[in-house]
Amino acid sequence: LPDYSYAGYKNGEELIPNQGVVYLATDYGVVANDGIDDSKALINAVDELRAVDGSVILELPAGKIILSDIIYIERSDFILRGAGSGENGTILYFPRPLMYVHDPEPLKELREYLMEFDKRQREEKNNIDLAFSQYAWSGGFIWTQVPGERVKSYLEKYERPVNVLAKVTSGKRGDFTVTVKNNNSLKVGDVIELQLFNKDGEKGKIVEELYKNADVKVGTHHFNFPDLPIVRQQLEIKLIDGNQVTFKSPLTISIDTSYEAQIVEWKHLENVGIEHFSIEFPMTPRIAHHIEQGFNGINLTRLYNSWVKDIVIVNADSGILTEEIANVTIQNITTRGEHYAHYTVAMAGVHNVLAENIIVENSAEHPLSFNTFSTKNVYKNCTIYKKPVLDQHSGANHQNLFDNITVHINELKGDSYPLFAGGGAGYWKPSHGAYSTFWNINIVLESPHLLKDPVLLNGMLDGPHARVIGIHGNTSFLVKYEPLAYIKMTNQSLHDVPSLYDYQLNSRLNYD
């Protein structure tokens, strides 16, 4: 099993902070419960506080605040705090979707990509042939970013040279130390990005390493873009000793010279917090998959050692979206409403992110999802009440953990249920790499006393070398997970170690 205990704020070693100089949003003209849009006032408050030194808390008043524009958070040491997510707390109400906001500059490349490649949702039986929305998997009304910094590659014309700090020649999976050619541009405390490439085509050694030579079809994106990294980790440098560089968290795969690995500069924000309020959207009908209008709550990009906590999200297309963040904790989030969502709390292109106590009360296409390039992330102590799927969404994602998850299944498909169905485009298949893990998954079936035979949990055909341990519930189950899965302790609740993350973290901290 990989060591997942490095996920979350400060690698799980420190509590989320609660400090900073408090500034009241009401002093900038934000007024709750007056029926007037407060977008300009709140944007002005955030903009003015960008220049304030030290840790800053922008405190929102209790009551309903109407907003219709994007709130960009673009500085470190900043907390956006409400008066609570429950009764008598703060409600951010967005009456209109993002499609009515001026096209965001950070999504310009995505918009051009969708048009150039004619990305469309085609469902002949439903008479649907519609262009993808730029907000299907990106964007949000609360949006963290480093201005001008790209977070995802779509078109070659937008590629820019990166600031290479060192070339890496070797390192072992699970170890913390790599060998570099030149360390002159590195220093202890730097947060960098480690990049690994596939320069050797369809049969490249890094592809074999990701999928451990399993008999799975490998999509073309693994070898059609040799100049883009196929494995990335955002890491903090702990020690430099000659040509040996030691990080605070371990490598996901061993490094071979053919990967042309490198350490590059990674611009990001730190100590950003979003907490203690609810986000509400009006109920709207779903059009189709990928045609979302943009009722998206929070979009996290370019964050390190940051957090989102105590947020209730109602009727969203996507509650919380992520891209290129690391060591972030997302906790105590509830998504609900009658609107059919695309994502609830999604992980895409992220590393060492901990999402805990995520309660999914609404129906969603991908209730919990590890997406492209996601590595060493954890969903822990989460509950899905409707149409559960533990989604792994293709794109070289590997070594992610579903930990102590409870799912409620209200309708079987015959005598089975596709709990492990993986999404994603064919050019990024298979669904995940080696060692992705399911630990202590509790299945709650409606009317289990009516069943005579064990229920088959399936849905995964191209997820090699998974670890599926402790699948259990209120009836008897069979587990089918292909290919080459390590399946143990089915129909056993792991009472002694309910959370693998907690066990590994406690073991590490006690050992240290």
Side-chain angles (χ1 to χ4, degrees):
L1 290 170
D3 186 348
Y4 292 102
S5 69
Y6 293 87
Y9 178 81
K10 297 280 189 176
N11 297 124
E13 298 165 6
E14 297 182 24
L15 296 176
I16 292 173
N18 182 25
Q19 58 187 15
V21 178
V22 175
Y23 294 82
L24 301 179
T26 52
D27 290 343
Y28 296 86
V30 175
V31 180
N33 301 324
D34 65 349
I36 298 174
D37 191 298
D38 284 307
S39 300
K40 292 181 180 179
L42 185 54
I43 290 170
N44 179 59
V46 174
D47 286 347
E48 287 198 23
L49 293 177
R50 193 181 306 167
V52 175
D53 293 333
S55 297
V56 168
I57 300 171
L58 178 57
E59 196 164 281
L60 301 168
K64 187 174 184 179
I65 300 170
I66 298 174
L67 301 170
S68 60
D69 210 342
I70 297 170
I71 312 300
Y72 288 106
I73 297 173
E74 299 176 335
R75 60 156 290 175
S76 296
D77 301 307
F78 180 89
I79 299 174
L80 181 65
R81 175 183 295 166
S85 64
E87 189 176 357
N88 300 320
T90 298
I91 300 170
L92 302 186
Y93 180 69
F94 297 89
R96 303 193 296 271
L98 286 164
M99 66 180 292
Y100 295 116
V101 172
H102 182 73
D103 280 340
E105 182 63 24
L107 298 187
K108 178 182 178 182
E109 182 179 355
L110 172 58
R111 290 191 297 273
E112 292 184 17
Y113 163 81
L114 295 175
M115 292 184 64
E116 182 173 332
F117 289 89
D118 192 28
K119 292 289 186 176
R120 305 182 71 82
Q121 185 70 15
R122 295 180 173 92
E123 300 176 18
E124 186 175 349
K125 64 180 181 180
N126 293 321
N127 195 31
I128 290 173
D129 186 350
L130 297 171
F132 276 15
S133 164
Q134 64 182 315
Y135 301 116
W137 59 81
S138 299
F141 276 103
I142 299 173
W143 191 325
T144 70
Q145 68 166 356
V146 175
E149 289 301 313
R150 196 166 173 235
V151 298
K152 194 167 185 176
S153 298
Y154 288 105
L155 297 172
E156 186 175 358
K157 70 179 183 179
Y158 284 97
E159 298 299 334
R160 295 178 292 184
V162 296
N163 183 13
V164 179
L165 304 176
K167 295 291 186 178
V168 181
T169 58
S170 65
K172 293 183 179 180
R173 180 175 73 87
D175 282 357
F176 299 79
T177 301
V178 298
T179 302
V180 301
K181 288 185 176 179
N182 189 331
N183 68 16
N184 291 339
S185 297
L186 304 176
K187 64 178 184 294
V188 172
D190 281 352
V191 179
I192 54 80
E193 182 169 276
L194 174 66
Q195 299 182 338
L196 283 61
F197 299 83
N198 177 25
K199 301 288 188 176
D200 298 324
E202 187 172 0
K203 302 296 183 181
K205 188 173 181 178
I206 195 170
V207 176
E208 295 177 351
E209 177 69 16
L210 280 170
Y211 305 112
K212 293 296 181 182
N213 296 304
D215 185 16
V216 291
K217 182 174 177 58
V218 176
T220 56
H221 273 32
H222 287 81
F223 48 85
N224 277 353
F225 302 96
D227 294 327
L228 297 180
I230 194 171
V231 174
R232 301 176 298 177
Q233 290 183 254
Q234 292 79 31
L235 302 165
E236 185 171 345
I237 297 175
K238 183 178 181 180
L239 178 68
I240 300 174
D241 184 8
N243 66 345
Q244 302 293 298
V245 177
T246 300
F247 302 116
K248 284 194 172 182
S249 55
L251 304 179
T252 65
I253 69 171
S254 297
I255 298 174
D256 184 82
T257 53
S258 67
Y259 304 167
E260 298 189 17
Q262 60 188 25
I263 293 172
V264 304
E265 180 184 22
W266 185 59
K267 295 181 180 179
H268 61 279
L269 308 176
E270 293 193 32
N271 289 308
V272 172
I274 299 170
E275 59 188 37
H276 305 315
F277 55 82
S278 63
I279 295 173
E280 295 188 6
F281 301 104
M283 170 57 195
T284 56
R286 180 181 189 243
I287 299 170
H289 194 38
H290 296 125
I291 315 298
E292 289 77 15
Q293 300 176 75
F295 286 113
N296 295 346
I298 299 171
N299 187 41
L300 305 177
T301 71
R302 293 276 179 170
L303 286 185
Y304 187 80
N305 281 343
S306 297
W307 67 92
V308 179
K309 66 178 183 178
D310 183 29
I311 306 288
V312 172
I313 305 172
V314 182
N315 286 329
D317 285 327
S318 291
I320 299 177
L321 296 172
T322 60
E323 191 78 50
E324 197 155 330
I325 67 174
N327 290 83
V328 172
T329 293
I330 303 171
Q331 67 179 197
N332 301 331
I333 310 296
T334 299
T335 65
R336 60 170 63 119
E338 296 303 314
H339 178 68
Y340 189 95
H342 190 180
Y343 293 102
T344 61
V345 176
M347 301 199 200
V350 302
H351 180 63
N352 276 348
V353 172
L354 172 64
E356 60 179 338
N357 301 324
I358 312 300
I359 309 300
V360 180
E361 298 178 358
N362 56 313
S363 296
E365 189 76 14
H366 310 297
L368 301 179
S369 180
F370 293 117
N371 217 304
T372 308
F373 297 136
S374 293
T375 54
K376 297 296 283 291
N377 305 292
V378 179
Y379 284 111
K380 172 193 155 196
N381 298 349
C382 303
T383 303
I384 308 172
Y385 284 99
K386 294 182 178 180
K387 299 182 179 179
V389 176
L390 303 180
D391 176 50
Q392 297 183 89
H393 214 70
S394 308
N397 67 84
H398 58 280
Q399 296 179 38
N400 297 296
L401 169 65
F402 291 102
D403 186 28
N404 197 32
I405 308 296
T406 297
V407 302
H408 292 254
I409 298 175
N410 299 316
E411 183 178 355
L412 295 175
K413 301 180 185 301
D415 59 355
S416 66
Y417 187 84
L419 180 64
F420 308 111
Y427 49 68
W428 262 132
K429 287 290 187 178
S431 291
H432 63 75
Y435 311 123
S436 290
T437 304
F438 301 80
W439 182 273
N440 200 36
I441 309 300
N442 179 33
I443 316 296
V444 180
L445 277 178
E446 190 177 79
S447 305
H449 60 282
L450 299 178
L451 302 173
K452 296 180 180 179
D453 299 317
V455 173
L456 176 64
L457 301 173
N458 58 8
M460 179 58 68
L461 299 175
D462 65 343
H465 299 285
R467 275 70 178 116
V468 188
I469 303 168
I471 306 292
H472 66 279
N474 60 351
T475 191
S476 181
F477 296 95
L478 301 172
V479 175
K480 184 178 182 181
Y481 200 107
E482 298 183 283
L484 304 170
Y486 179 89
I487 303 172
K488 295 292 181 182
M489 303 178 76
T490 303
N491 297 314
Q492 298 181 49
S493 175
L494 306 183
H495 293 295
D496 292 340
V497 186
S499 165
L500 177 62
Y501 173 86
D502 286 346
Y503 175 82
Q504 291 180 327
L505 180 62
N506 290 334
S507 299
R508 175 165 63 88
L509 296 185
N510 289 334
Y511 175 79
D512 290 346

